[in-house]
Amino acid sequence: EMAKNKKGKAKPAKVKHRLTRAIPVGAQLPCVDNSGAKLLNVISVYFGGSRLNRLPSASIGDLMLVSVRQGKPELKKKVMPSVLLRQRKMWRRYNGVSVFCEDNGSCIITPKGQLKGSAITGPITKECSELWPNLSTRASAVL
């Protein structure tokens, strides 16, 4: 079952550990699900924190607000929530291993936290699958 806050909106299933933040506001990400969107533009990061003159940025498993830049005409220019599944920036796991993915990837979710498409292309990370268990069932592999 999906974790929700009081208003029924999507939120991660458990507390997220600190990971190296890689995707700042304004970045363009490929959409790795089959919802019809191709390119996403990051507008804001939920729980991104703030510091004077520093752009809020996302790491794996973070909930972001994105707009669709390329894709199906009915999705273009729409603002929707998204989860970061992969990042190229190296991060360190708690067992001491440093890991990175070969590309960045994000998927669009509904406001309730369900995947908008029906499948995710490529693997998702272990950190993301722990935070979003319903997304890991649709992925081909977990890194």
Side-chain angles (χ1 to χ4, degrees):
E1 181 59 29
M2 181 68 218
K4 294 180 181 71
N5 64 11
K6 288 179 184 171
K7 293 181 181 174
K9 299 235 170 106
K11 70 171 199 158
K14 62 183 204 172
V15 176
K16 184 175 181 295
H17 293 301
R18 201 202 75 78
L19 295 173
T20 307
R21 297 186 173 277
I23 309 296
V25 167
Q28 293 189 346
L29 293 168
C31 185
V32 296
D33 60 11
N34 60 356
S35 60
K38 295 276 182 262
L39 195 65
L40 306 173
N41 193 26
V42 180
I43 295 173
S44 71
V45 180
Y46 286 91
F47 320 113
S50 58
R51 167 76 177 93
L52 185 67
N53 293 339
R54 183 180 298 163
L55 288 174
S57 48
S59 60
I60 286 174
D62 276 348
L63 191 60
M64 307 175 292
L65 208 57
V66 298
S67 66
V68 179
R69 293 295 293 269
Q70 290 176 12
K72 283 185 180 176
E74 60 266 21
L75 288 174
K76 275 177 115 173
K77 299 180 184 174
K78 296 280 189 296
V79 175
M80 43 192 61
S82 170
V83 174
L84 188 65
L85 303 176
R86 303 190 287 262
Q87 73 180 33
R88 289 188 67 177
K89 174 82 178 127
M90 191 179 293
W91 76 96
R92 192 178 151 93
R93 287 188 170 154
Y94 273 90
N95 59 6
V97 177
S98 293
V99 193
F100 69 97
C101 299
E102 64 180 31
D103 68 336
N104 295 321
S106 181
C107 70
I108 295 173
I109 61 171
T110 63
K112 297 280 187 192
Q114 301 300 322
L115 189 64
K116 193 163 175 68
S118 59
I120 294 172
T121 55
I124 70 169
T125 57
K126 186 178 77 172
E127 290 83 358
C128 189
S129 68
E130 288 169 0
L131 289 167
W132 302 92
N134 58 338
L135 298 184
S136 63
T137 58
R138 306 278 179 86
S140 55
V142 177
L143 288 179

